Amino acid sequence: MERQLVVFKLAGEYFGVDIFAVERIIDMQPIAIVPHVPAFIKGVADLYGEVLPVMDLRKRFDLPSSDLTRESRLVVVEVGEVKVGMLVDAVSEVVRVGDEDIESPPGLVLTPVNETYIAGIAKVGREDVSRKKGKTVREFGRLIILLNLAEVLSTKEKLILQDFERTLEETSAENLEGVKL
């Protein structure tokens, strides 16, 4: 079976999520800082009148921080019952990947923290380059880390964000006008 992935970059690596999980991809919006939220929540943004929590994936995955650039994007997805904007360095493309090109991540790269949200590793840019002993040898252009969005947040974090989202719904989007990045 083949699936389509939205591929984005974080700290020089490629990550992918199922295209059906992505509501939209938007240019950076002004982000208002909100106190007393998990450290990986950068704040909130006004998305066409809807106040949206913004999750900094670099912080969530303990990657080095970086300044925003013109290529930075918000990938709007639903994580559990919560709609969030995932802050990524850049969105590169949509690719088709067959199940035969997806492998489980090696045990050495898994930790108790990341084993739940890393769904697999996709090998893309496949070329059948030679035949050895009757078998076709394949080479791949790059690897994409596949995310399991349902597990990117713990149950406790999802509940915190659901409460946060309910509070935001009570707050007018007008309060965010004029906020600078």
Side-chain angles (χ1 to χ4, degrees), residues 46-107:
D46 180 4
L47 179 65
Y48 309 112
E50 179 181 3
V51 180
L52 181 74
V54 176
M55 178 172 38
D56 185 340
L57 283 186
R58 279 179 172 262
K59 280 188 181 177
R60 181 67 182 129
F61 298 156
D62 291 324
L63 297 171
S65 63
S66 176
D67 293 332
L68 298 176
T69 68
R70 291 184 336 177
E71 289 82 31
S72 297
R73 296 289 183 267
L74 291 177
V75 179
V76 180
V77 297
E78 209 162 293
V79 178
E81 308 246 340
V82 181
K83 187 186 299 187
V84 297
M86 298 188 311
L87 175 57
V88 301
D89 296 346
V91 174
S92 62
E93 63 196 305
V94 174
V95 297
R96 291 180 189 271
V97 177
D99 287 342
E100 69 276 6
D101 294 329
I102 298 174
E103 292 186 12
S104 298

Side-chain angles (χ1 to χ4, degrees), residues 125-132 135-141:
R126 180 177 76 191
E127 290 183 32
D128 297 334
V129 293
S130 64
R131 294 183 69 72
K132 292 184 180 177
K135 288 184 129 184
T136 301
V137 177
R138 297 180 185 168
E139 288 186 6
F140 296 89

Side-chain angles (χ1 to χ4, degrees), residues 81-179:
E81 308 246 340
V82 181
K83 187 186 299 187
V84 297
M86 298 188 311
L87 175 57
V88 301
D89 296 346
V91 174
S92 62
E93 63 196 305
V94 174
V95 297
R96 291 180 189 271
V97 177
D99 287 342
E100 69 276 6
D101 294 329
I102 298 174
E103 292 186 12
S104 298
L108 288 176
V109 300
L110 293 179
T111 67
V113 174
N114 71 15
E115 74 178 332
T116 58
Y117 57 77
I118 294 180
I121 308 291
K123 302 172 288 187
V124 297
R126 180 177 76 191
E127 290 183 32
D128 297 334
V129 293
S130 64
R131 294 183 69 72
K132 292 184 180 177
K133 296 182 183 177
K135 288 184 129 184
T136 301
V137 177
R138 297 180 185 168
E139 288 186 6
F140 296 89
R142 69 178 189 275
L143 301 175
I144 299 172
I145 301 166
L146 303 181
L147 297 179
N148 178 355
L149 288 178
E151 301 297 331
V152 168
L153 297 173
S154 70
T155 301
K156 182 180 177 182
E157 291 164 340
K158 289 175 191 173
L159 291 173
I160 290 169
L161 283 180
Q162 285 173 343
D163 288 343
F164 180 61
E165 196 172 55
R166 277 193 289 278
T167 302
L168 288 176
E169 288 172 359
E170 298 168 3
T171 305
S172 170
E174 295 169 12
N175 294 336
L176 296 176
E177 288 183 14
V179 176

